[in-house]
Amino acid sequence: MGRTSDAREKLLAAALDLIWTSSYGGVSVDDICVRAGVNKGSFYHFFPSKSDLAVAAYEAHWQEKRPAMDAVFSSQNPPLDRLIDWCRRIQEGQTEMHAQYGFVVGCPYANVGSELATQDPKIRAKTQEMLDRGFRYIEAAIADAQRQGLIDVADATAAAKQVSSCVLGLLIQAKIENDPGLLSELEPTMMRLLGAKMVPA
Amino acid sequence: MGRTSDAREKLLAAALDLIWTSSYGGVSVDDICVRAGVNKGSFYHFFPSKSDLAVAAYEAHWQEKRPAMDAVFSSQNPPLDRLIDWCRRIQEGQTEMHAQYGFVVGCPYANVGSELATQDPKIRAKTQEMLDRGFRYIEAAIADAQRQGLIDVADATAAAKQVSSCVLGLLIQAKIENDPGLLSELEPTMMRLLGAKMVPA
DNA sequence: TCACCAGTTAACCGAACGGTCAAATAATTC
DNA sequence: GAATTATTTGACCGTTCGGTTAACTGGTGA
């Protein structure tokens, strides 16, 4: 039935890349098309609107990152190791992008979510959903750590909420100061919030 | 020397209001002019560009809020009371704006900072400066609390950095979920980070 | 082989964008 | 009251915005 194309995938990748390193409002449909090497007509063949593309791009990004997240947060791994490993990966990823683009780019979901939360209900809801997916990993890890007596928290869900907010906050701070070094505070902040029992180095 | 005018102040107020409840990219110079009841020619009589207006608007907002911050963080007040009072005010302010606009609007500085950090160096630097001003209040309060043995932290500056990041993170989270109720976690998160000694209710 | 149809192309749309300008106006100073 | 000058006015500029359209192309399935 008709011809096939990878234009859709190229548009998703271009959109993620450009919006992540700039902002939703700072990137035009034309910019995305040029980067993807696709005509605007094709853009609107695959996506009804710019915001629909953004939503699809974030969904695609998640699907790509999901296996790595599943591995990091595998229940085979000790719960605190999962969290520490995750912190390390965030720091490495941001440091790498900082080297590549000259900027700390922060969390792609939170970036657009914060920008458009009061303007585009669909994007706001999608952002919330994306962040919630990450939250569930954290929550499970913290609940496991709690069960194993590794940390000192009363309510695992509440603690997970605090932890995820702090990670978001540190990413924003690092972006605004454009300093990936701030992200070395990720792990200590998290451990402090969890009242983690100290492990001798 | 020529006539006087309050157009500048009206533009500053309109810009703050519109950008805070929407976003920098989501508000046009025309929008701001209409809200302020000022012609576009007058806009460019007072400000060389849209981004210069934004910077001036945030500076004006700070100057307006500064007396209240000085009062809250007065060294006459017990250090932890300062922080707790501040949390309460943030929560109240966001709840009020949520009732008025239908949205959790978050921190005005962090909002634009996060949106434009990778695009506009002047705004990025200004945002960093604004957040640093708030940081100094927190840092002083935490240092005082530490001296008085009210909390359990090794490095007051590092702890202040963690606290300010977490506040930022909770505000973003509340904005994305559009739920001011999340901000009730402000105080407990902060106290936990500081290892505050429990005070019997 | 050929009909079908997903995908491509590039010109085009009206609206909105940030910003400019020269002339008109009114408040202040002397 | 005249000279000065900060402010106001609203038309105007070229560009870019998100999105549309209709004709065209070529791979696929029958």
Side-chain angles (χ1 to χ4, degrees), chain A residues 40-86:
Chain A
K40 200 165 10 179
S42 291
F43 180 108
Y44 285 99
H45 174 71
F46 289 106
F47 303 100
S49 74
K50 182 186 176 187
S51 67
D52 283 288
L53 166 69
V55 165
Y58 287 123
E59 186 61 41
H61 177 253
W62 173 267
Q63 296 306 337
E64 190 195 322
K65 294 296 178 194
R66 190 185 153 160
M69 288 292 279
D70 281 339
V72 169
F73 284 96
S74 164
S75 53
Q76 295 299 308
N77 304 332
L80 291 187
D81 287 9
R82 302 176 212 165
L83 294 170
I84 291 171
D85 193 19
W86 184 49

Side-chain angles (χ1 to χ4, degrees), chain A residues 171-192:
Chain A
L171 278 167
I172 297 273
Q173 192 98 40
K175 182 178 181 184
I176 289 172
E177 300 194 19
N178 195 31
D179 177 11
L182 285 184
L183 299 174
S184 62
E185 285 299 308
L186 232 29
E187 182 191 320
T189 304
M190 197 179 277
M191 290 305 121
R192 182 154 250 278

Side-chain angles (χ1 to χ4, degrees), chain A residues 21-23 26 103-105 109-111 113-119 124 127-128 131 152-154 158 161-162 164-166 168-170 172-173 175-178 182 185 188-189 192-195, chain B residues 21-23 26 103-105 109-111 113-119 124 127-128 131 152-154 158 161-162 164-166 168-170 172-173 175-178 182 185 188-189 192-195:
Chain A
T21 57
S22 169
S23 71
F103 295 106
V104 173
V105 292
Y109 314 133
N111 287 351
S114 165
E115 181 180 352
L116 300 178
T118 65
Q119 298 174 69
R124 207 223 89 235
T127 303
Q128 183 172 354
L131 293 182
D152 177 31
V153 300
K161 211 76 184 157
Q162 294 182 347
S164 67
S165 285
C166 284
L168 239 47
L170 269 163
I172 297 273
Q173 192 98 40
K175 182 178 181 184
I176 289 172
E177 300 194 19
N178 195 31
L182 285 184
E185 285 299 308
T189 304
R192 182 154 250 278
L193 268 178
L194 295 175
Chain B
T21 58
S22 171
S23 70
F103 295 105
V104 173
V105 291
Y109 313 134
N111 287 352
S114 165
E115 180 180 352
L116 300 178
T118 65
Q119 299 174 68
R124 207 224 88 234
T127 303
Q128 182 173 354
L131 293 182
D152 177 31
V153 299
K161 210 77 185 157
Q162 294 182 348
S164 66
S165 284
C166 284
L168 237 48
L170 270 163
I172 297 271
Q173 191 98 38
K175 183 179 181 183
I176 289 171
E177 300 194 20
N178 196 29
L182 285 185
E185 286 297 310
T189 304
R192 183 155 250 276
L193 269 179
L194 295 176

Side-chain angles (χ1 to χ4, degrees), chain B residues 27-143:
Chain B
V27 172
S28 71
V29 173
D30 286 297
D31 292 335
I32 295 169
C33 289
V34 167
R35 169 69 68 97
V38 160
N39 285 338
K40 198 161 17 176
S42 292
F43 180 109
Y44 285 99
H45 174 71
F46 290 105
F47 303 99
S49 74
K50 183 186 176 187
S51 67
D52 284 288
L53 167 69
V55 165
Y58 287 123
E59 186 60 43
H61 176 252
W62 173 268
Q63 295 306 337
E64 190 194 323
K65 293 297 178 195
R66 190 185 153 159
M69 288 292 280
D70 282 339
V72 168
F73 283 95
S74 164
S75 52
Q76 294 299 310
N77 304 332
L80 290 186
D81 287 9
R82 302 176 212 166
L83 294 169
I84 292 171
D85 192 20
W86 184 51
C87 290
R88 217 200 60 236
R89 279 162 185 263
I90 291 175
Q91 192 180 353
E92 284 175 359
Q94 293 291 326
T95 303
E96 191 178 323
M97 294 191 78
H98 180 264
Q100 185 173 352
Y101 298 107
F103 295 105
V104 173
V105 291
C107 166
Y109 313 134
N111 287 352
V112 286
S114 165
E115 180 180 352
L116 300 178
T118 65
Q119 299 174 68
D120 187 319
K122 206 157 46 176
I123 286 192
R124 207 224 88 234
K126 186 69 184 178
T127 303
Q128 182 173 354
E129 183 196 330
M130 306 297 288
L131 293 182
D132 186 58
R133 293 183 196 171
F135 172 78
R136 286 201 290 270
Y137 287 115
I138 303 172
E139 188 184 23
I142 290 177

